[in-house]
Amino acid sequence: MTKIKIEKIENLPARQMTFSKRRQGLFKKAGELSVLCDAEVAVVVFSSTGKLYESSSSSTKDVIGRYKLHTEDVEKGDQQPPPELQLENDECMRLNKELADKILELRLMEGQDLEELNIDELQRLENRIEGGLSRVLQTKDKRIMSQILELETKGAELTEANNQLRQRVNKLGMLSDGDGNRAGGVALESEISTDEEEGMASESATSSTGCYSTGSSTSSLDDDSSDNPLSLKLGLPRCG
């Protein structure tokens, strides 16, 4: 790429075309500077023919007026800001420096930008990294042990709950067996009562049959007593 030589363009049409292009580029760059950096920018250009061109982020007159006030204060030596603003500026500078130091320190801890460090600085950095690594490992071990203890506690609680549940199941099984035994005992007593009732009914029937038989004999005796007075004298008992 051929480098353009910076010198006055003698050709008038070429000079005017270059002026127009460069002026537009200059105004564009000024606008970008104002937006990117939140700056107040004003550009004033006079052509070779005396024509005025201007571009400003707000107002060219306001920027020029601010410039005049600033230059006058500088000439008078009254360029110190108010105390409150000075304190804010100092605090801002301190914070910016602290931020830059922390960023550099972080990059060094990550192993970056080590080329400018000497042996002593590298040794101190190594000691800091080893100390930090040791604390990280200790903290990790504590967390692991804490999690193990929590898991063991939960395991013991689950085991206890399982044992209690097993005991309840065993108690329910024993109650079920007891109900079965009581039902068997009631059935046995019922069978015994039935047998006793049947025995008593059988004895009653036998007694009735005996009476009937005795009655028959007595009737025979009565029949015979009419012919045998001796039976009446003996006073034999009569059924019924």
Side-chain angles (χ1 to χ4, degrees), residues 151-182:
L151 292 175
E152 289 179 350
T153 303
K154 290 181 180 179
E157 293 176 354
L158 292 175
T159 302
E160 181 65 21
N162 190 18
N163 293 334
Q164 293 178 0
L165 182 61
R166 186 180 291 108
Q167 291 176 3
R168 291 180 61 185
V169 171
N170 293 336
K171 288 180 180 179
L172 292 175
M174 293 174 63
L175 292 175
S176 299
D177 295 339
D179 293 339
N181 294 333
R182 284 196 296 271

Side-chain angles (χ1 to χ4, degrees), residues 34-46:
S34 174
V35 173
L36 293 174
C37 301
D38 192 22
E40 191 171 2
V41 179
V43 179
V44 178
V45 178
F46 289 93

Side-chain angles (χ1 to χ4, degrees), residues 31-98:
E32 293 176 354
L33 176 63
S34 174
V35 173
L36 293 174
C37 301
D38 192 22
E40 191 171 2
V41 179
V43 179
V44 178
V45 178
F46 289 93
S47 67
S48 60
T49 59
K51 188 175 181 179
L52 173 64
Y53 299 91
E54 62 178 300
S55 176
S56 174
S57 58
S58 56
S59 171
T60 304
K61 291 182 180 180
D62 293 340
V63 175
I64 293 175
R66 184 177 177 182
Y67 168 76
K68 288 181 177 179
L69 290 175
H70 182 75
T71 54
E72 290 175 359
D73 293 338
V74 171
E75 291 175 357
K76 293 178 181 179
D78 188 14
Q79 56 183 358
Q80 293 295 330
E84 296 82 4
L85 184 58
Q86 183 64 37
L87 291 176
E88 292 181 0
N89 291 336
D90 295 341
E91 182 68 14
C92 184
M93 293 177 62
R94 185 186 66 81
L95 292 176
N96 288 334
K97 184 177 183 304
E98 183 177 353

